[in-house]
Amino acid sequence: MGGNSGQPGIHTCKSLAEDGPFGSVEPPKRSTGSLVLHSMAMFGREFCYAVEAAYVTPVLLSVGLPKRLYSVVWLLSPILGFLLQPVVGSASDHCRARWGRRRPYILTLGIMMLLGMALYLNGDTVTSALIADPRSKLIWAIAITMIGVVLFDFAADFIDGPIKAYLFDVCSHQDKERGLHYHALFTGLGGALGYILGATDWAHLKLGRMLGTEFQVMFFFSALVLTLSFIIHLCSIPEAPLRDVAKDIPPQQGPQDLPLSLDKMYEYGSIEKVKNGYINPEMALQGEKNKNAAEQTRRTMTLKSLLRALVSMPSHYRYLCISHLIGWTAFLSNMLFFTDFMGQIVYHGDPYSAHNSTEFLIYQRGVEVGCWGLCINSMFSSLYSYFQKFLVSYVGLKGLYFTGYLLFGLGTGFIGLFPNVYSTLVLCASFGVMSSTLYTVPFNLIAEYHREEQKQRQQAPGGDLDSRGRGQGLDCAALTCMVQLAQILVGGGLGFLVNIAGSVVVVVITASAVALIGCCFVVLFVRYVD
């Protein structure tokens, strides 16, 4: 979090709902409407994710991408995200932009998502219009499409951390829990609408003929939804900038005569300790004790030091990251291959047959039904997110975490062992439970950990410096890094397993086994705050 900086005199950085030398107070209660508007970013993000899931493979095939480059497309984005996520998360903890700490990063990443979609959905059309030479056109179309896919995936994966940190900064503890539930709710709704949009046959509709191709229709709706969602999100809840208090204090003033007229520095997120019109000098000097160490932490926040900070983080944070990695590895293993599993195993189609053959048409039908299964997953994720806030009072975060992993592990195991169209579609609901769990419970635990640390610092102002140097942005980024690491593991390992087994059934069985291992891990190792 924003700590104290090291200059002569009182030099400290303050922000909304942020701890500092003067302590902190709970941010005001947020209305349901504000939290819903804040959740629109997740709606737009997941809507575009669903469109990408439905169309990225057809797009890559249509531009003639060589098979040897597929792994580059799928692995480059998560590798970049895994390496850079903690750096940006920490940078946002100390960002002093007038617009706030998180929103500049969210806006930048949203623009990158929009640009990535424009490139991968329109790259082939643009190159065909500008380049006449067939060979040059092919090279440029492949290059632009690859850049678009990598840019979109990178930004869409990256943006989750700043969005969660923004929520944590401006909400009280109770509102953080409510906000996370609304995030998961709108994530499911956005995914469901995105899959429905992708499953619609736009070629036979007037709008599809007017815009040109299905890819242009997808870009039109995706750009519209993403732009509106992020405008609403960024205007939903005010975010105060990180303030450098020392810059507002004349050099000749000492801590004993700080006037009350400086009270604008202490907007909500700080406690004004004043008496007879002046700030208590003892409280002011308390922040002076640790300023040099905190300033040094900010100056040396490089990738190497961040990795060292992640490795040396408290054990309960590390175990939470490992459980998140296990969960996302299981979830992505199933989701990335699910439509292929439906086409090959459930429908007994053949993707390698001639495109006019019965086997290939059967495979395509299975893929279409698989898309509807993913739509069921998104809808049930949204529904479960709504009821999750009522369930947590009965079973707690531990019960929710365990239940999500258990239902997903049993559901995928049953699908893999007994593939059937109707039972598979019904069991897609278990995917929704897992999705909602991954989007809410780990971040709820991060909020619990930070709340506990904040109470400890209030009781012992000269507390642990390490916890001051590590902010909510970095911790959210560390969790989100586990998603990228899971993508790397899935992208690099499951293709190898499928080649050895000769069937995509091994993917679903692997997802089930990993999820059941995760059940044991979240019970035995993850720490839950009483």
Side-chain angles (χ1 to χ4, degrees), residues 3 39 90-91 111 126 139 203 207 214 241 246 293 320-321 330 365 407 418 433 443 452 464 505 511:
S39 303
S90 178
I111 293 173
V126 172
I139 294 173
L207 182 61
E214 282 187 310
L320 180 60
C321 287
R365 175 59 181 165
L407 291 180
F418 309 101
V433 174
F443 294 98
E452 183 182 51
D464 182 33
V505 173

Side-chain angles (χ1 to χ4, degrees), residues 1 37 53 89 93 144 158 224 244 275 329 340 438 443 447 454:
M1 301 182 195
L37 294 179
D93 280 333
I144 291 174
F158 222 116
L224 181 64
D244 192 346
K275 185 177 181 181
T329 300
D340 188 47
L438 291 173
F443 294 98
Q454 188 179 62

Side-chain angles (χ1 to χ4, degrees), residues 57-106:
T57 300
V59 167
L60 293 174
L61 291 174
S62 67
V63 299
L65 182 72
K67 289 185 177 180
R68 66 179 181 276
L69 294 180
Y70 269 70
S71 59
V72 176
V73 173
W74 299 124
L75 291 178
L76 186 57
S77 171
I79 289 173
L80 288 174
F82 180 72
L83 294 176
L84 298 178
Q85 186 92 256
V87 177
V88 175
S90 178
S92 72
D93 280 333
H94 306 296
C95 175
R96 299 185 185 182
R98 294 181 62 185
W99 205 30
R101 293 189 295 170
R102 318 297 181 183
R103 288 190 290 180
Y105 289 91
I106 295 172

Side-chain angles (χ1 to χ4, degrees), residues 191-485:
L193 291 178
Y195 285 123
I196 291 173
L197 184 74
T200 304
D201 186 5
W202 293 100
H204 296 87
L205 298 178
K206 184 177 180 179
L207 182 61
R209 292 192 296 269
M210 182 177 66
L211 292 176
T213 67
E214 282 187 310
F215 298 158
Q216 275 72 61
V217 174
M218 292 301 104
F219 176 71
F220 171 77
F221 282 109
S222 299
L224 181 64
V225 170
L226 184 69
T227 302
L228 292 177
S229 297
F230 274 78
I231 290 175
I232 293 171
H233 167 77
L234 293 171
C235 299
S236 60
I237 303 177
E239 183 188 13
L242 193 67
R243 301 287 303 276
D244 192 346
V245 176
K247 292 182 180 179
D248 299 330
I249 302 174
Q252 67 271 18
Q253 283 186 313
Q256 71 276 7
D257 56 5
L258 292 175
L260 185 59
S261 61
L262 292 177
D263 59 356
K264 291 183 180 179
M265 293 185 295
Y266 311 111
E267 297 171 0
Y268 99 79
S270 64
I271 297 178
E272 300 172 40
K273 298 295 184 181
V274 298
K275 185 177 181 181
N276 298 326
Y278 289 88
I279 299 172
N280 185 336
E282 294 182 4
M283 292 300 297
L285 288 172
Q286 182 62 58
E288 189 75 10
K289 294 180 180 179
N290 299 324
K291 62 187 179 187
N292 293 327
E295 176 68 16
Q296 183 178 5
T297 299
R298 279 199 300 279
R299 285 201 305 265
T300 60
M301 198 61 78
T302 61
L303 177 61
K304 182 179 179 180
S305 64
L306 280 169
L307 291 176
R308 189 184 303 117
L310 292 174
V311 171
S312 61
M313 66 168 53
S315 60
H316 52 282
Y317 281 97
R318 187 159 52 249
Y319 288 140
L320 180 60
C321 287
I322 294 173
S323 70
H324 205 51
L325 173 63
I326 294 172
W328 273 104
T329 300
F331 188 70
L332 291 175
S333 298
N334 179 70
M335 300 301 288
L336 293 180
F337 290 87
F338 180 71
T339 54
D340 188 47
F341 172 81
M342 288 291 291
Q344 288 197 61
I345 305 303
V346 178
Y347 272 79
H348 307 289
D350 185 0
Y352 304 105
S353 298
H355 284 197
N356 59 351
S357 65
T358 303
E359 291 80 5
F360 184 80
L361 294 176
I362 292 174
Y363 173 79
Q364 278 194 319
R365 175 59 181 165
V367 170
E368 291 175 2
V369 174
C371 287
W372 285 108
L374 295 179
C375 182
I376 293 172
N377 147 63
S378 296
M379 294 178 67
F380 201 85
S381 173
S382 182
L383 183 65
Y384 181 73
S385 299
Y386 178 78
F387 288 104
Q388 200 179 64
K389 57 186 178 182
F390 303 108
L391 293 174
V392 70
S393 60
Y394 294 99
V395 299
L397 291 176
K398 185 176 185 178
L400 289 178
Y401 216 3
F402 175 78
T403 301
Y405 281 58
L406 179 64
L407 291 180
F408 181 79
L410 295 177
T412 50
F414 191 86
I415 288 172
L417 295 174
F418 309 101
N420 176 271
V421 176
Y422 300 107
S423 63
T424 298
L425 290 177
V426 170
L427 289 171
C428 282
S430 67
F431 305 169
V433 174
M434 183 66 160
S435 174
S436 177
T437 300
L438 291 173
Y439 278 117
T440 55
V441 176
F443 294 98
N444 265 319
L445 288 172
I446 285 286
E448 294 276 5
Y449 297 161
H450 276 271
R451 186 190 188 196
E452 183 182 51
E453 291 173 0
Q454 188 179 62
K455 289 180 179 178
Q456 292 173 353
R457 285 196 295 271
Q458 289 173 349
Q459 295 170 0
D464 182 33
L465 282 174
D466 291 338
S467 62
R468 288 180 180 270
R470 193 192 70 251
Q472 293 184 130
L474 178 58
D475 288 334
C476 291
L479 267 186
T480 311
C481 272
M482 298 302 104
V483 183
Q484 274 95 49
L485 184 55

